[in-house]
Amino acid sequence: MLGKLIKHELRAMLNKFSLVAIIFLIVSVIVRIMTLFEDAMEGSISFMMSFIFITSVFVIGLSGLNFFALFSSVTRFQKNLFGDEGYLMHTLPIPSYYHIITKFVAGLITWIVSVIISMISVVIAFFGVSEITGIVKVISEFFSFIAKYPLQSFMVFILTTSSYCALIFLCYLCVCVTNFIPKGKGAVNALMIIGAIIVNNIIMSIITEFLANSEIGSEITASLIYTAYFAVVSVIFFFITNRIISRNLNLE
């Protein structure tokens, strides 16, 4: 049942993401075409202003595209569990934590797809056919580095993944808590996330100072400590969110 839920959720998220991805790829093609004519049209003020504007929008969109999966996952979490679809979702004969896992896995996969689309868009926009060989060489060297330093590469991967888990479970928890607030949910959500980030930065500073004072020289050990911290935070957020969903539902 969990697999079917993930498949359904992933299909819904990717269908929504596909339109954004297509638009983004089209913009990257436009940027590339304008780049090819940049020297020839250097004297045209209107062309240069349009080129700067479109390129700036494209670069800003790169960051936004990578946050799309998180935003989409949190939005669907709120609508599916606390919106009009909530009653139907909670009549399914499944544990409440299935809903959390489903949204998380689908969001994670969509985020990976968004990163891939971002990389493809950058290649299209800023690299021509003649540079493709160089790009392939860089990619090859990247995988060679991973093969040469597998443990370090793995630690970077799990540290990034654990921090993503903590962030998305924090967003889920904020949605659950603000569901009990009749007005100003968006503002309360933003304040809770900002507050959590501030507290996280304080804790991270304490951990960093501790590592510096204890003279732990191994980067792998330090990465393990940071990963363990994010993992513990993720588990705490997960269980609190699950408890709220299973015991204190207040569907709109």
Side-chain angles (χ1 to χ4, degrees):
M1 188 63 177
L2 180 60
K4 291 182 179 179
L5 286 173
I6 293 175
K7 183 179 179 180
H8 177 271
E9 182 68 20
L10 183 60
R11 183 186 295 115
M13 289 192 66
L14 290 180
N15 285 341
K16 188 176 181 180
F17 176 75
S18 60
L19 178 61
V20 178
I22 291 172
I23 294 174
F24 207 77
L25 290 172
I26 292 174
V27 173
S28 67
V29 172
I30 295 174
V31 172
R32 181 56 189 169
I33 293 174
M34 297 185 74
T35 302
L36 294 175
F37 289 95
E38 181 181 5
D39 294 336
M41 301 294 293
E42 187 174 0
S44 174
I45 297 178
S46 60
F47 175 85
M48 294 305 298
M49 290 183 64
S50 300
F51 174 70
I52 293 173
F53 173 75
I54 294 177
T55 303
S56 299
V57 170
F58 175 77
V59 173
I60 295 173
L62 284 174
S63 301
L65 187 65
N66 292 329
F67 280 101
F68 175 85
L70 176 64
F71 175 78
S72 180
S73 179
V74 174
T75 301
R76 286 189 57 80
F77 181 86
Q78 192 278 329
K79 290 183 177 180
N80 291 163
L81 300 182
F82 299 99
D84 296 335
E85 303 175 19
Y87 178 79
L88 176 62
M89 295 298 292
H90 290 287
T91 57
L92 296 175
I94 58 174
S96 57
Y97 61 83
Y98 271 30
H99 297 297
I100 305 174
I101 295 174
T102 297
K103 297 294 186 293
F104 169 73
V105 173
L108 180 62
I109 295 175
T110 305
W111 175 73
I112 294 173
V113 173
S114 71
V115 172
I116 295 173
I117 294 297
S118 298
M119 295 173 63
I120 294 175
S121 299
V122 169
V123 171
I124 293 175
F126 300 115
F127 297 95
V129 177
S130 58
E131 288 91 350
I132 295 296
T133 303
I135 296 173
V136 173
K137 183 179 179 181
V138 171
I139 295 175
S140 176
E141 291 176 351
F142 172 74
F143 283 105
S144 297
F145 176 85
I146 293 177
K148 186 176 180 180
Y149 302 101
L151 184 57
Q152 291 85 344
S153 302
F154 177 72
M155 291 308 305
V156 171
F157 171 75
I158 63 171
L159 179 58
T160 304
T161 304
S162 61
S163 61
Y164 174 82
C165 292
L167 176 60
I168 197 167
F169 286 135
L170 168 64
C171 292
Y172 289 168
L173 177 59
C174 289
V175 169
C176 291
V177 172
T178 55
N179 177 66
F180 302 102
I181 301 174
K183 294 182 180 180
K185 294 182 180 181
V188 175
N189 262 327
L191 289 174
M192 287 182 64
I193 292 175
I194 292 173
I197 291 175
I198 293 175
V199 172
N200 174 75
N201 289 338
I202 294 174
I203 295 175
M204 291 289 287
S205 299
I206 294 173
I207 295 175
T208 302
E209 184 176 355
F210 167 77
L211 293 175
N213 294 334
S214 59
E215 299 182 354
I216 297 179
S218 174
E219 295 181 357
I220 295 178
T221 303
S223 298
L224 281 173
I225 293 175
Y226 287 123
T227 300
Y229 162 70
F230 284 123
V232 170
V233 170
S234 299
V235 170
I236 292 173
F237 288 162
F238 176 86
F239 278 105
I240 296 176
T241 301
N242 181 61
R243 182 175 179 82
I244 294 175
I245 292 176
S246 60
R247 296 175 181 267
N248 301 297
L249 285 176
N250 182 24
L251 301 179
E252 297 177 345

